[in-house]
Amino acid sequence: MTTTSYEPGRIGLLLIDTVNEVFSEKGKGYPGFKEEFDRIGTFENLKRLLAGAREQGLPVFFAPMSYTEEDYTSWKHLSGIHHEMFDNRMFEAGSWGADFHPELSPGDGDVVIAPHKNIDVLANTDLEVQLRQHNVEYIAIAGMIGTLCVESTARSCMEHGYHVTTFTDATAAAGGRAAYDAMVLRYPAISHATLTVDEFLAATSRAKA
């Protein structure tokens, strides 16, 4: 049982890039993660995490990624991840691939963050404004990619003074099992709790008791 304590009324859940490009079988990014999704149970765990958070009344924030045609054709300095996105026209704004997966999509009362174009959601969107407006101090971060957007956002939130929870079973790494194992070893250094979905939901439920 986790000993992590959460403050009632201050807990939020951030889901990063729960879109068709990553989680639908026809998505351009899906083949690279299918094996790890199956091994970890990522998709079902995310669905359970989302349902549990909603049942407990936690605010849920969805952070999508998308690029416009202007982005694809006008950016001067492209990192490796941008080359991969741009060369393959991934996460194209307005496309099916950039739409939320039907089973991991915002519902009534959820907050959709402005699309991020780099890997740190906190640094590049309205996420911090939304967290503060919803009185969130304890932010749990799940979704994709565990070694990129999730990890970078977790680091940034920690640096900004938030209590950060990362997950072992609600994400996956770029690079397969070895990359996943290394990621999970790093997570405790950049977050305040690294939990399974069940451990997190149990801890947040106790916080409400």
Side-chain angles (χ1 to χ4, degrees):
M1 178 182 295
T2 176
T3 58
T4 301
S5 296
Y6 295 93
E7 184 180 344
R10 304 298 303 277
I11 313 162
L13 172 64
L14 173 65
L15 297 182
I16 300 177
D17 295 339
T18 56
V19 297
N20 288 323
E21 204 77 282
V22 178
F23 286 102
S24 293
E25 292 186 3
K26 294 182 180 179
K28 294 176 182 177
Y30 180 82
F33 299 105
K34 180 184 185 305
E35 186 173 335
E36 281 294 276
F37 284 168
D38 291 344
R39 182 182 70 82
I40 300 166
T42 305
F43 185 71
E44 292 301 322
N45 290 334
L46 280 167
K47 287 168 56 179
R48 196 156 42 84
L49 175 61
L50 176 57
R54 285 172 170 163
E55 183 178 349
Q56 293 185 21
L58 305 182
V60 180
F61 306 86
F62 285 82
M65 172 179 279
S66 70
Y67 299 98
T68 66
E69 183 62 26
E70 183 178 46
D71 294 329
Y72 293 137
T73 57
S74 68
W75 281 30
K76 180 179 180 181
H77 300 294
L78 300 180
S79 67
I81 189 65
H82 291 130
H83 275 294
E84 183 177 352
M85 302 298 103
F86 287 23
D87 293 349
N88 294 290
R89 285 299 194 270
M90 296 178 70
F91 301 96
E92 185 173 4
S95 71
W96 170 86
D99 286 346
F100 290 106
H101 187 285
E103 296 181 79
L104 293 172
S105 61
D108 292 343
D110 296 334
V111 178
V112 179
I113 302 302
H116 61 105
K117 300 177 185 293
N118 291 307
I119 59 177
D120 180 352
V121 176
L122 192 75
N124 292 280
T125 70
D126 60 326
L127 175 60
E128 185 154 30
V129 171
Q130 295 287 3
L131 294 179
R132 296 198 180 282
Q133 289 290 348
H134 290 83
N135 199 38
V136 171
E137 180 178 352
Y138 298 79
I139 184 65
I141 305 174
M144 289 295 284
I145 299 171
T147 43
L148 290 170
C149 297
V150 172
E151 186 168 337
S152 291
T153 304
R155 289 174 186 269
S156 190
C157 286
M158 179 271 288
E159 296 284 3
H160 280 73
Y162 292 94
H163 180 288
V164 175
T165 298
T166 48
F167 292 92
T168 59
D169 59 351
T171 186
R177 178 62 183 268
Y180 166 87
D181 289 343
M183 175 189 76
V184 170
L185 286 175
R186 286 194 303 272
Y187 273 0
I190 62 170
S191 54
H192 304 88
T194 298
L195 308 175
T196 66
V197 167
D198 287 341
E199 289 170 338
F200 173 73
L201 292 176
T204 54
S205 180
R206 288 195 300 273
K208 295 182 64 179

